Amino acid sequence: MSIHSVKRHQNHLAWDNSIAPVLHIQSGETVTFDCLDASNGQLTAESSVASIRGLVFSQLDQVCGPVHISGAQPGDTLQVDIISVETADWGWTALIPGFGLLHDEYPDPALKIWKIDRAGQFAWFDEEKGIKIPLRPFPGEIGVAPGKDGAFSTIPPYKTGGNLDTKYLSSGSTVYLPIEVKGALFSIGDGHGAQGDGEVCGTAIETPVKATVRLTVRKDKPYVKAPHFVTARAAASPEEYYCTTGVDQDIREASRAAVRDMIEYLGVEHHLSKVEAYMLCSVAGDLRMHEVVDMPNYVIGLMLPKSIFTNAS
């Protein structure tokens, strides 16, 4: 099976279906992306808080790509199998004025530079106080080009993906994205070493990453109208989840969309009536606030444990 690569300089700063692809591949092939951190290289392991004041905001959250996948057509689904995500040996977390859930209460910039132990897969938040953060690397940005013409900021999430900032999209997980243009035009970036649900201050452990993914066109998932994903098993959480997401400017509407999509998924894949599926969502599903700071849109996920389906393969 062919393995391709996309370099750091092969990036763009908007979701735009007019951007020429940097790579053409066949469905089912694997691509490794060498991605800078979300600052686009403006911050380094030697940066100080003064660097936050000097950030050029128009250069933030670049994504590597786009990649054209042969056979992808509007209405299809792109299956993205995340094979591996490797961090650098450093990262940063910052308070950026105007960003974050409490940006009005924390108006001053702040910066923390992390030393990442890649062998041990952790980073100390404060070694003296015994606060240790396990790594769970993932790409914050993962998406395909929108069908609507024009340039759309990489800062918010969209129904075609984008800045999902969802911590469950780590190695071993699978993401499903609705395709709106020929070739899909897939891009990825914004490496994270670890993050909590919601990313409340607006940044995670931001770090350059090398992400390897397999890209497969699916013709059999018409119910994927916004990102869906399947989590990977981990030692700390052996359960696997199937998740539907809602992306909207209103949290309640995003939540409603996530539930509607799960109901449709359960009907197609598990042959449940809409009433049965709605009740199952209530007794077994967990609504999670995956991303709440990259305005104007929120990402709300409904996560359903796969173990409840005892007849499933």
Side-chain angles (χ1 to χ4, degrees), residues 7-51:
K7 309 303 183 185
R8 288 185 175 187
H9 70 274
Q10 296 175 303
N11 66 65
H12 54 101
L13 288 158
W15 297 100
D16 187 338
N17 61 35
S18 70
I19 296 175
V22 301
L23 179 68
H24 288 74
I25 68 168
Q26 299 297 312
S27 175
E29 292 188 324
T30 298
V31 185
T32 295
F33 296 81
D34 187 5
C35 306
L36 279 168
D37 64 288
S39 78
N40 207 353
Q42 295 182 76
L43 298 179
T44 71
E46 288 72 44
S47 290
S48 69
V49 70
S51 302

Side-chain angles (χ1 to χ4, degrees), residues 94-129:
L95 300 188
I96 301 174
F99 282 82
L101 202 59
L102 303 179
H103 65 86
D104 53 329
E105 299 178 25
Y106 294 85
D108 297 324
L111 177 66
K112 177 179 179 59
I113 299 295
W114 300 79
K115 182 179 180 180
I116 295 175
D117 186 328
R118 291 186 292 184
Q121 287 292 289
F122 72 89
W124 285 107
F125 181 80
D126 190 314
E127 189 168 2
E128 183 179 344
K129 296 178 180 177

Side-chain angles (χ1 to χ4, degrees), residues 94-173:
L95 300 188
I96 301 174
F99 282 82
L101 202 59
L102 303 179
H103 65 86
D104 53 329
E105 299 178 25
Y106 294 85
D108 297 324
L111 177 66
K112 177 179 179 59
I113 299 295
W114 300 79
K115 182 179 180 180
I116 295 175
D117 186 328
R118 291 186 292 184
Q121 287 292 289
F122 72 89
W124 285 107
F125 181 80
D126 190 314
E127 189 168 2
E128 183 179 344
K129 296 178 180 177
I131 304 174
K132 185 178 181 181
I133 306 301
L135 293 187
R136 188 174 182 173
F138 70 95
E141 294 265 7
I142 184 168
V144 293
K148 187 176 180 181
D149 291 341
F152 298 88
S153 170
T154 55
I155 299 297
Y158 304 96
K159 292 182 178 179
T160 48
N163 201 12
L164 298 175
D165 280 344
T166 298
K167 70 177 186 180
Y168 305 99
L169 308 186
S170 55
S171 176
S173 65

